[in-house]
Amino acid sequence: MATIISGKELSLQIRGEIAEKAKQFEEQNGRLPGLAVIIVGENPASKVYVRNKHRACGECGMYSEVIELPEQTPEEELLAVIDELNGRSEIDGILVQLPLPRHIKESVVINRISPEKDVDVFHPVNVGRLTTGNYTLAPCTPAGVVEMLVRSGVEIKGKKCVVVGRSNIVGKPLALLLLEKNGTVTVCHSRTADLKAECLEADILVAAIGKPKFITADMVKPGAVVVDVGINRNEEGKLCGDVDYENVEPLCSYITPVPGGVGPMTITMLMKNTLLAAEERAKG
Ligand code: NDP
């Protein structure tokens, strides 16, 4: 039987720690750390994510602002909103909820956010900082994965880590963070020649693919640590990850569930980044 790493429980603990630090920040600076979230359009999933982020700010004792813009908002108008937030001293973090409507270019929008306030850590300057190991802000989902491992006492150093998925949001930055923790990292993707063989080598296996039950029991080395980043809907419309949890769980030493695993940790790391951004800005 595996130890289940509950992102929900860990998040509660970490959000408490962040709330403490937010209070200290307020005492020293006369204001709360502040996050602004911009949402363009009516995507129902995005709306849920934004609501959760707003709620998490409340839990962490931080100021939060949600800016809702209509679907047809011209790119220039969105950029003007970002410019205004870049200039506001009480806003430490700016997040533009993705995906954006088709007529708006994601990269242009991301590049417009001041790197100091880029709490999603998508700006090329921050990606460069991460790559060189000279950074304060780490991208939320990968940071959440590493935090879960570290707080559960899973040693990364010297371990063979296999990350399935190479997106800019999850797979690639997670590979960098695991490398920094001295893991030996392999990144797999849809053109990997023998995925099963690669996965079977893993002491720590991370699934970030976006396909339900993709990682099956025959791909997992007994005793491995399995982290499931995926968020999918199964045939019954229920939330599930990328791992065939029922059959993999009995095999491994640690596993993260979906829901209640990496998802809550991602938002918690966003809160942490907002606090860190506030502290960095306060230093001047
Ligand atoms: P992407 O679609 O951007 O990337 C998926 C990756 O999986 C790609 O690198 C792709 O390879 C790889 N892949 C697809 N099919 C296969 C295959 N048959 N064999 C091997 N590799 C394959 O997704 P994201 O990284 O954005 O997200 C991954 C999952 O994580 C999704 O379910 C998403 O919803 C979830 N997610 C969860 C978050 C959380 O907070 N828990 C946050 C962000 C994402 P290739 O590059 O070759 O196409």
Side-chain angles (χ1 to χ4, degrees):
M1 286 290 271
T3 300
I4 295 160
I5 307 178
S6 167
K8 212 168 150 187
E9 278 173 25
L10 278 177
S11 278
L12 219 64
Q13 183 190 329
I14 300 168
R15 286 182 198 187
E17 294 166 12
I18 294 171
E20 262 313 299
K21 290 193 180 147
K23 214 156 91 189
Q24 284 168 18
F25 179 88
E26 189 190 15
E27 281 160 18
Q28 286 158 8
N29 298 281
R31 67 173 185 88
L32 297 171
L35 174 69
V37 178
I38 307 171
I39 176 166
V40 186
E42 300 293 324
N43 183 322
S46 294
K47 283 185 147 186
V48 174
Y49 291 138
V50 168
R51 203 182 319 133
N52 288 343
K53 287 165 189 173
H54 183 59
R55 198 178 295 153
C57 278
E59 277 173 44
C60 292
M62 300 209 249
Y63 172 72
S64 128
E65 204 167 292
V66 176
I67 298 155
E68 293 174 297
L69 300 173
E71 180 87 23
Q72 311 75 13
T73 303
E75 187 176 286
E76 272 311 313
E77 219 170 279
L78 173 58
L79 295 177
V81 171
I82 294 172
D83 288 345
E84 197 235 320
L85 293 169
N86 279 338
R88 277 175 56 192
S89 61
E90 77 280 21
I91 296 295
D92 302 291
I94 303 169
L95 182 151
V96 179
Q97 186 64 46
L98 301 177
L100 286 165
R102 278 162 181 262
H103 65 277
I104 301 178
K105 203 157 180 233
E106 215 170 270
S107 61
V108 172
V109 171
I110 288 168
N111 291 0
R112 193 68 160 240
I113 298 171
S114 160
E116 290 68 43
K117 298 190 178 189
D118 168 39
V119 281
D120 248 344
V121 197
F122 294 159
H123 192 289
V125 165
N126 287 329
V127 175
R129 286 178 180 154
L130 183 75
T131 309
T132 51
N134 173 30
Y135 64 93
T136 306
L137 306 176
C140 303
T141 302
V145 170
V146 171
E147 192 80 24
M148 286 175 104
L149 295 173
V150 170
R151 289 199 182 227
S152 305
V154 173
E155 172 123 73
I156 300 169
K157 185 173 73 177
K159 293 288 159 60
K160 174 105 173 117
C161 308
V162 175
V163 179
V164 188
R166 59 171 163 182
S167 71
N168 289 331
I169 297 174
V170 188
K172 266 191 238 172
L174 177 58
L176 288 170
L177 293 183
L178 291 169
L179 191 60
E180 197 183 271
K181 292 274 180 206
N182 296 312
T184 302
V185 184
T186 302
V187 183
C188 298
H189 46 80
S190 66
R191 317 291 159 86
T192 295
D194 190 347
L195 184 66
K196 183 177 163 183
E198 299 292 348
C199 290
L200 277 170
E201 292 276 311
D203 301 312
I204 299 172
L205 177 62
V206 184
I209 306 144
K211 293 185 176 165
K213 294 195 179 178
F214 187 83
I215 300 292
T216 47
D218 61 337
M219 299 167 85
V220 178
K221 180 165 86 173
V225 175
V226 177
V227 179
D228 194 348
V229 180
I231 300 179
N232 313 295
R233 298 253 169 213
N234 65 15
E235 313 86 55
E236 293 125 45
K238 280 173 74 179
L239 271 189
C240 68
D242 289 343
V243 175
D244 179 5
Y245 187 90
E246 203 184 328
N247 293 309
V248 168
E249 184 270 332
L251 262 182
C252 47
S253 56
Y254 291 84
I255 191 164
T256 69
V258 178
V262 178
M265 287 300 285
T266 295
I267 298 187
T268 300
M269 293 299 106
L270 175 68
M271 299 300 110
K272 181 177 170 186
N273 277 350
T274 304
L275 175 72
L276 288 171
E279 289 172 347
E280 280 299 301
R281 292 183 61 243
K283 279 187 212 157

